[in-house]
Amino acid sequence: MNSNRITEDEVLSLIISQLVAYGYSAVAQSVADATGASTDMMPSAKLSELLQIAKDKNEEEDSDDDYSGKDFDRETPRDDMDVQMNVSGFDAESMRNAQPKTAPEYNQLYYTQHKGPCRTAIFSSDGRFAATGSHDSSLKLLDVNKMKNRSGDAGDKPVIRTLYDHLEQVNDLSFHPNGLVLASCSNDQSIKLFDLSKTGVKRAFRYLQDAQPVNSISFHPSGDFLLAGTKDAAVRIYDVKTLQCYTNSSNADMHRGSITQIRYSNTGKIFATSSLDGTVRIWDSTSSHCVKVLDGAHGGTAVSSVRFTNNEKYLMTAGLDSTVRLWDITSGKVLMEYKGHEQRVQMLQPAFSYNEDFILIGDEASTDVVCYDTQTGALVKRVPGHNNLVRCVAASPVDNGILTCSDDYRARYFNAPNDA
């Protein structure tokens, strides 16, 4: 007999607590009465977490995925960690007498295909890895260097792993700052955390359950907190270690519609939210209080996206008035408008290029990606390649590489010749 084996009473207690957590309190009470198990009838997800650990362990042992070559040393500092902080980026002073820059010569170097529309993508903070999320509920983890440098060899596979754990479409992704964890959120009302350091594991090691579809997530630069915006108007802030969820109780601070996107600034001192209610809100991360509201940011239409510049002085927004705007956060005034694409229906997600010289966004009137000069607002390039609407553009933090996500089921990787 194994002395470490879990007892019958412990098993029954776990079952009862799990039933309470799922909302079956009456059933849980019946089980407790029938078995005489000692329980406090408090909700707990410990049983499902233990089962998930066992399932992942079994998959890890059975998997033949080769991930041993990936350097995910938790103790080794990354030379590129401060790359975003060191890039000079955009500043309003540079707008005076500015002339449009020549856009990069984007060449398609690779594409990967999902089984449904590709909805979202992200690069890790060091630019070595990227991930995509799809309507088919799957995620793909990609090796950027292999996307850049295709050799044609049998081992030349940029897709490191395909991750499955959601039940509905994936809406947003966020890499933990340590590069070892990828978070995803979905219409299935959950946030999943995937451990990328475990070879072959394709399912989440931890999940955060909400009561609403989760539209957007963002890790704090410290990695200790995770923001979440959902179909309702309240901002969620999760403590990653304890899984405790905090929300702002002040109705005056809340949006009046679903949160479409949520993003921390580069240092994490502030964060921003966009909403179907047509407003953009800037929040203090320490107090979780709203410190500025941009009312009618896009003429009263829904706002689909928010992005801070690296210096945290400016904010880019996109909305259903077919306009991208750049705002001065302190004054709340518009510095520049970018017009030339159409956005009337879809929640398109734009991106700054790594040096913030350009803004890239999809176009409902075509299958192109539109490239604007940040300083002048000029439309300087259209990037073709897809066969359907481009919903999301993600930009590498270290070079001109971009990932474009489309309803043609594909994510395409483009880069300029001097960066490839």
Side-chain angles (χ1 to χ4, degrees), residues 81 91 106 164 241 245 251 266 276 328 363 381 406 414:
M81 275 295 287
D91 195 278
Y106 289 109
Y164 305 93
K241 294 180 181 178
C245 180
N251 289 329
N266 219 14
L276 292 181
D328 182 291
D363 176 22
K381 195 176 191 65
S406 170
F414 298 83

Side-chain angles (χ1 to χ4, degrees), residues 278-296:
T279 69
V280 171
R281 291 175 180 265
I282 312 294
W283 307 74
D284 178 89
S285 294
T286 303
S287 67
S288 297
H289 288 154
C290 179
V291 294
K292 187 174 290 292
V293 181
L294 304 178
D295 276 317

Side-chain angles (χ1 to χ4, degrees), residues 387-408:
N387 302 313
N388 209 325
L389 172 70
V390 175
R391 289 184 174 272
C392 172
V393 181
S396 166
V398 298
D399 61 24
N400 281 310
I402 59 171
L403 269 172
T404 56
C405 303
S406 170
D407 282 0
D408 66 8

Side-chain angles (χ1 to χ4, degrees), residues 247-358:
T247 60
N248 193 320
S249 59
S250 171
N251 289 329
D253 281 353
M254 290 175 63
H255 282 286
R256 299 295 180 262
S258 300
I259 294 172
T260 56
Q261 193 161 73
I262 192 164
R263 287 291 184 267
Y264 273 114
S265 65
N266 219 14
T267 64
K269 293 178 181 178
I270 53 177
F271 64 90
T273 54
S274 57
S275 172
L276 292 181
D277 67 10
T279 69
V280 171
R281 291 175 180 265
I282 312 294
W283 307 74
D284 178 89
S285 294
T286 303
S287 67
S288 297
H289 288 154
C290 179
V291 294
K292 187 174 290 292
V293 181
L294 304 178
D295 276 317
H298 287 266
T301 66
V303 187
S304 66
S305 182
V306 284
R307 291 281 192 285
F308 287 99
T309 55
N310 286 326
N311 61 15
E312 305 184 0
K313 295 180 181 179
Y314 313 105
L315 186 75
M316 174 179 63
T317 65
L320 299 191
D321 59 349
S322 298
T323 306
V324 173
R325 289 187 171 88
L326 190 65
W327 303 79
D328 182 291
I329 294 174
T330 302
S331 68
K333 294 181 179 179
V334 177
L335 293 177
M336 183 63 68
E337 293 186 338
Y338 308 87
K339 296 184 177 183
H341 66 286
E342 183 172 314
Q343 183 187 5
R344 300 292 181 187
V345 179
Q346 305 296 339
M347 296 290 109
L348 303 184
Q349 304 299 322
F352 283 113
S353 63
Y354 79 105
N355 53 12
E356 298 179 350
D357 284 349
F358 303 99

Side-chain angles (χ1 to χ4, degrees), residues 216-231:
S216 186
I217 51 176
S218 179
F219 269 115
H220 188 276
S222 69
D224 294 336
F225 302 99
L226 181 72
L227 291 172
T230 73
K231 193 175 180 180

